[in-house]
């Protein structure tokens, strides 16, 4: 059982970008920038940082590595930025690497809708080249402390089709997590409650059709991450007795644990990235990404029906990060 425990939601600043700080009476705090509704920091205890977020204005403005980015209306890559929806071929703009990556939200400024028991930010994305339809997004953050003193940061993404025609719409979140005092991820262990690994090509586009799905023994245990490299999606997620899916990361040195909990109905995919080859602090943290759909879902026949969002309809994604200073909690 978790209890919401706020003492304040305060206006803040992140290198000139408007931001908000949530402070809990437990001592936990979180900093969220209005740009992209981006989580910059979460400290379950004072001075104990577990989010490997942006460090300056340039990183946030250019959404370098998509640290803690809210992903919509797609997550991951769309092959060559091209897809067909409602019998119309669309071409999205591409980045310098020739990719259509992670949607439109990272560069958008959100506005505060509510602040009190939680912080809710919102934006509306107009129709544009390659995506001819309007949608709105609300992002809500809250802090809780469990009865076992575990600290929780919860996220809800709520997207609504505000246009008159159906849209393809997927959601995701891209936080990088680390343990306070650790110097990298090699001494972490990882448990993923998944039955299926997604096979992808060299551009991280899942293989066509059923060829993308490889069965694995569940749950997947990596007892010592070492120098293993992962940039992989998983599905076939197995709920626990509470009906949620929990991915666990442990620091073998300290005994601390981080958990990502997601609702399998809303987020049936998790992507794991070992943060290799980043422009800063490669392999210093681990990206745990809950997703509503696979990368390149816009081009997958098996995702066509679930992607479709009718005019006025809503799609949600819920996720919670939990920090336990002692994994025996």
């Amino acid at each position: 059982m978790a209890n919401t425990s706020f003492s304040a939601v305060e206006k803040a600043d992140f290198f000139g970008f408007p931001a908000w700080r949530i402070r809990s009476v437990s001592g936990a705090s979180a900093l969220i920038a209005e740009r992209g509704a981006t989580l910059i920091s979460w400290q379950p205890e004072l001075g104990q940082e577990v989010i490997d977020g942006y460090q300056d204005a340039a990183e946030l403005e250019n959404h370098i590595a998509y640290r803690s980015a809210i992903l919509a209306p797609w997550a991951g890559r769309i092959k060559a930025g091209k897809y067909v929806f409602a019998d119309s071929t669309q071409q999205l703009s591409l980045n310098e690497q020739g990719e259509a990556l992670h949607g439109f939200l990272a560069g958008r400024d959100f506005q505060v809708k509510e602040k009190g028991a939680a912080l809710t930010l919102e934006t509306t994305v107009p129709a544009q080249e390659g995506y001819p339809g309007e949608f709105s997004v609300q992002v809500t953050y809250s802090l809780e402390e469990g009865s076992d003193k575990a600290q929780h940061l919860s996220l809800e993404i709520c997207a609504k089709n505000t246009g008159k025609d159906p849209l393809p719409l997927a959601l995701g979140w891209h936080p990088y997590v680390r343990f306070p005092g650790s110097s990298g991820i090699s001494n972490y262990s990882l448990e993923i409650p998944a039955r299926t690994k997604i096979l992808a090509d060299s551009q991280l586009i899942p293989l066509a059709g059923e060829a993308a799905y490889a069965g694995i023994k569940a749950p997947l245990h990596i007892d010592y991450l070492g120098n293993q490299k992962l940039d992989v999606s998983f599905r076939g997620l197995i709920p626990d007795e509470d009906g949620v899916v929990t991915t666990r990361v442990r620091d073998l040195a300290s005994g601390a644990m981080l958990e990502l909990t997601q609702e399998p109905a809303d987020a049936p995919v998790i992507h794991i990235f070992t943060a290799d080859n980043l422009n800063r602090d490669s392999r210093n943290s681990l990206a745990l990404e809950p997703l509503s759909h696979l990368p390149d879902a816009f081009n997958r026949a098996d995702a066509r029906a679930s992607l479709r969002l009718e005019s006025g309809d809503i799609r949600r994604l819920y996720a919670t990060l939990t920090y336990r200073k002692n994994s025996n909690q």
Side-chain angles (χ1 to χ4, degrees):
M1 173 107 28
N3 299 308
T4 303
S5 51
F6 283 111
S7 58
V9 178
E10 305 166 347
K11 185 69 174 172
D13 176 89
F14 181 72
F15 293 95
F17 283 92
W20 294 86
R21 188 175 298 279
I22 307 172
R23 296 186 188 276
S24 167
V25 294
S26 71
S29 69
L31 179 66
I32 297 99
E34 291 184 2
R35 173 64 56 88
T38 306
L39 179 67
I40 301 295
S41 166
W42 175 41
Q43 294 186 5
E45 298 181 8
L46 181 63
Q48 301 296 295
E49 183 62 65
V50 300
I51 294 296
D52 193 2
Y54 295 125
Q55 291 187 347
D56 57 37
E59 286 191 348
L60 175 59
E61 185 168 15
N62 295 291
H63 36 87
I64 303 299
Y66 288 88
R67 295 175 184 268
S68 297
I70 306 296
L71 312 179
W74 74 91
R77 293 158 175 79
I78 295 178
K79 188 175 182 179
K82 184 179 290 187
Y83 66 98
V84 177
F85 184 77
D87 298 322
S88 178
T89 299
Q90 303 290 343
Q91 177 63 61
L92 294 159
S93 60
L94 305 178
N95 62 18
E96 293 179 356
Q97 290 73 44
E99 301 171 326
L101 184 62
H102 290 329
F104 301 135
L105 299 185
R108 292 192 63 81
D109 289 319
F110 283 62
Q111 295 77 44
V112 173
K113 179 176 175 60
E114 296 181 12
K115 54 184 178 72
L119 172 68
T120 299
L121 302 167
E122 65 179 356
T123 191
T124 297
V125 182
Q128 56 198 278
E129 183 178 357
Y131 195 81
E134 180 185 275
F135 66 99
S136 65
V137 178
Q138 291 185 2
V139 180
T140 300
Y141 292 95
S142 60
L143 297 179
E144 299 90 27
E145 181 180 57
S147 58
D148 59 358
K149 302 301 181 181
Q151 298 296 323
H152 309 278
L153 180 145
S154 295
L155 167 83
E156 178 187 359
I157 307 170
C158 179
K160 181 178 182 179
N161 180 351
T162 51
K164 62 180 182 179
D165 297 315
L167 289 172
L169 196 144
L171 297 173
W173 188 34
H174 201 301
Y176 292 79
V177 300
R178 64 186 181 192
F179 290 97
S182 68
S183 57
I185 63 173
S186 63
N187 209 33
Y188 294 1
S189 69
L190 179 63
E191 178 186 315
I192 308 166
R195 296 187 179 95
T196 306
K197 176 181 178 180
I198 307 304
L199 304 181
D201 64 19
S202 61
Q203 303 302 309
L204 299 178
I205 301 296
L207 302 183
E210 291 297 314
Y213 307 127
I216 58 175
K217 182 181 179 180
L220 174 63
H221 285 281
I222 301 176
D223 295 329
Y224 178 72
L225 196 55
N227 60 5
Q228 292 185 64
K229 295 182 178 182
L230 297 173
D231 202 349
V232 182
S233 296
F234 298 87
R235 72 169 205 175
L237 304 183
I238 304 170
D240 60 23
E241 60 185 15
D242 295 322
V244 296
V245 173
T246 303
T247 299
R248 295 180 172 89
V249 185
R250 289 181 175 85
D251 182 3
L252 300 176
S254 69
M257 181 164 64
L258 280 160
E259 299 173 337
L260 173 73
T261 302
Q262 60 197 88
E263 298 281 351
D266 301 320
V269 177
I270 184 164
H271 189 90
I272 308 293
F273 175 41
T274 47
D276 302 280
N277 303 317
L278 298 186
N279 65 318
R280 169 177 66 75
D281 293 338
S282 291
R283 296 185 67 83
N284 191 55
S285 56
L286 191 65
L288 307 178
E289 308 169 40
L291 308 175
S292 70
H293 293 79
L294 293 181
D296 201 39
F298 281 24
N299 287 310
R300 298 191 64 84
D302 57 6
R304 191 171 295 133
S306 61
L307 277 170
R308 185 182 178 94
L309 192 66
E310 301 292 337
S311 175
D313 283 357
I314 288 171
R315 177 153 295 142
R316 289 183 169 89
L317 185 151
Y318 301 91
T320 297
L321 285 173
T322 297
Y323 176 72
R324 302 178 188 277
K325 192 172 184 178
N326 184 329
S327 59
N328 292 322
Q329 284 181 277

